[in-house]
Amino acid sequence: MEKQKVVIIGAGIVGACMAYQLAKRNQDVTVIERHPTAAREVTEKSFAWIHTTHWVAPQYRHLYDNASEEYLSLQQELSELQIQWHGALTWGDSNLNEQIHLQKLNREQIEALEPNLKEYPNDAMFANEEGAVDPIGLTELLLRKAQEYGAKVQFDTNVTQLQQENSRLIGLHTSKGFMESDVVVLAAGTGVSEICNSFGCSVPVTPSPSILIRMKTSSRLIHTLISNAQFEARQLTDHSLLAAEDYMDDSEENGPEAVGTRAFETLRRSLKGGEQLELESIKVGLRPMPEDGYPIVGFHNQMKGLYVTVMHSAITLAPLIARLAASEIINRESRCELESCRLSRFKQ
């Protein structure tokens, strides 16, 4: 196996997954991150739902079908990895793929799963194979394991310019000097477009804001992950509860603080014991959203030696896609599982 110098830009969940998969296969890996710690952008603000049962286009269905199994394999490799396999309880969502991994529950069954709800639907869908993770903890674990395999991680390091020679990328200039590379992996989330624009190539990724609300609680109020028209929430720990909301606008009545506060009040009203909840933080994350909503993964056609990895939801897909992408980088052979993810599907 040829040992290549691989530089990964970005230490979020995608960059960490790539670093782990490449380093454990004997590649010379360096991760560079402009922040002082890992998972500082959208990863730390992720609801971190391993969500595999929503409807997706058929050419991407195989990725979601295998995402949970990939996490189970990763859990076997890394005994420290904690995953909350409590399942997801959903009602009022028409965007589910009801043919897979779903069980229809009646009101009595819902009450047994979630005894702390004040009101119950007549029925709901339960995905028992879905789970959730601590996104920061997972990212830090993967980077630590990558370092045990020899990877290097440089924080507080900005990319200033990509260096090319005859349409081949040979390295990059950073705030800490020049770094040679055989392959540069772009795992910079919403920063992918800016970096590619610098050498005249468009990657259709835009920021998609979301809001994460963190609350303190003296006891566990939610046992699964609950998603409905009123709220989307889960326990992170016995004493910490998370809720997620879509970003609306910057107005006073619909800005992040207002939306987050309304979500907090909804949970206080909706849960038995909800009065004990204390609002801890409201944060906005800028999710990297490809134009068609599906992953962009693969070697860049115009810049040899550049490998693009950008996706939503990265928590769901990154472990699987990183393993497949690492195989492409190391073996220089295309994986059929990623063919639907190529940048070439967009008109350049």
Side-chain angles (χ1 to χ4, degrees):
M1 183 188 299
E2 181 185 354
K3 192 166 188 173
Q4 302 177 90
K5 290 183 179 178
V6 183
V7 180
I8 300 170
I9 303 175
I13 186 60
V14 177
C17 285
M18 290 297 301
Y20 173 70
Q21 292 292 342
L22 288 162
K24 78 173 186 176
R25 296 178 64 180
N26 197 39
Q27 301 301 292
D28 182 352
V29 175
T30 302
V31 181
I32 57 175
E33 167 60 51
R34 65 191 182 97
H35 290 291
T37 59
R40 283 291 296 272
E41 292 285 348
V42 69
T43 298
E44 73 164 351
K45 304 171 187 77
S46 171
F47 190 53
W49 179 2
I50 304 170
H51 190 11
T52 61
T53 57
H54 58 299
W55 187 91
V56 299
Q59 62 268 38
Y60 301 96
R61 186 67 257 169
H62 63 285
L63 296 173
Y64 294 86
D65 286 347
N66 290 295
S68 293
E69 188 65 35
E70 190 72 25
Y71 266 102
L72 288 170
S73 297
L74 194 60
Q75 208 169 15
Q76 289 181 338
E77 289 180 32
L78 306 175
S79 59
E80 307 97 316
L81 175 55
Q82 300 294 314
I83 303 177
Q84 296 179 344
W85 292 115
H86 301 320
L89 187 65
T90 305
W91 62 92
D93 186 352
S94 60
N95 199 37
L96 294 176
N97 184 345
E98 297 190 9
Q99 299 178 355
I100 57 168
H101 308 310
L102 291 172
Q103 178 185 2
K104 190 172 184 177
L105 304 184
N106 59 33
R107 178 174 177 143
E108 186 176 288
Q109 292 170 311
I110 301 167
E111 288 187 44
L113 272 179
E114 291 293 354
N116 291 324
L117 291 174
K118 288 184 177 178
E119 295 182 1
Y120 291 91
N122 291 326
D123 55 64
M125 304 306 295
F126 183 59
N128 65 349
E129 295 184 12
E130 293 195 334
V133 295
D134 173 355
I136 300 173
L138 173 57
T139 303
E140 291 177 342
L141 173 62
L142 289 166
L143 286 175
R144 189 165 66 250
K145 292 298 180 180
Q147 287 174 298
E148 289 176 8
Y149 283 113
K152 299 172 285 293
V153 182
Q154 291 187 9
F155 294 111
D156 290 313
T157 304
N158 289 299
V159 177
T160 56
Q161 184 183 350
L162 300 180
Q163 183 69 44
Q164 62 186 101
E165 196 174 89
N166 299 324
S167 77
R168 169 168 286 281
L169 190 57
I170 61 170
L172 61 167
H173 297 273
T174 77
S175 55
K176 294 183 178 177
F178 180 74
M179 299 180 65
E180 288 185 5
S181 67
D182 296 305
V183 178
V184 170
V185 176
L186 269 185
T190 56
V192 166
S193 290
E194 181 182 353
I195 292 171
C196 288
N197 285 341
S198 69
F199 59 87
C201 175
S202 172
V203 176
V205 175
T206 56
S208 174
S210 64
I211 302 170
L212 185 73
I213 306 100
R214 186 183 294 260
M215 290 153 271
K216 293 179 182 178
T217 173
S218 59
S219 61
R220 182 173 285 271
L221 300 178
I222 295 176
H223 299 278
T224 65
L225 184 153
I226 301 177
S227 176
N228 58 55
Q230 284 72 47
F231 63 86
E232 190 170 273
R234 70 179 182 91
Q235 294 280 160
L236 178 61
T237 68
D238 284 345
H239 303 291
S240 180
L241 191 148
L242 298 179
E245 289 289 336
D246 287 331
Y247 186 93
M248 298 178 73
D249 55 50
D250 291 322
S251 65
E252 186 173 344
E253 66 272 18
N254 287 324
E257 288 295 322
V259 171
T261 301
R262 286 199 294 268
F264 168 65
E265 294 296 340
T266 297
L267 282 163
R268 283 173 61 90
R269 292 192 305 268
S270 300
L271 297 171
K272 298 171 187 174
E275 67 279 355
Q276 67 171 280
L277 288 172
E278 296 179 35
L279 183 60
E280 186 177 354
S281 65
I282 299 170
K283 294 182 178 180
V284 176
L286 297 177
R287 300 169 295 190
M289 191 65 67
E291 186 178 278
D292 60 3
Y294 295 110
I296 302 174
V297 185
F299 280 107
H300 199 286
N301 290 335
Q302 298 175 25
M303 177 79 78
K304 294 177 182 178
L306 182 66
Y307 196 95
V308 179
T309 56
V310 59
M311 65 204 74
H312 175 74
S313 155
I315 290 292
T316 299
L317 296 174
L320 173 61
I321 286 182
R323 179 174 59 81
L324 298 171
S327 176
E328 290 195 325
I329 291 169
I330 293 167
N331 300 323
R332 296 301 174 108
E333 293 180 356
S334 294
R335 293 293 299 249
C336 61
E337 300 97 325
L338 295 176
E339 283 308 306
S340 58
C341 300
R342 306 309 186 197
L343 177 62
S344 57
R345 70 183 186 271
F346 300 101
K347 292 182 180 179
Q348 298 296 304

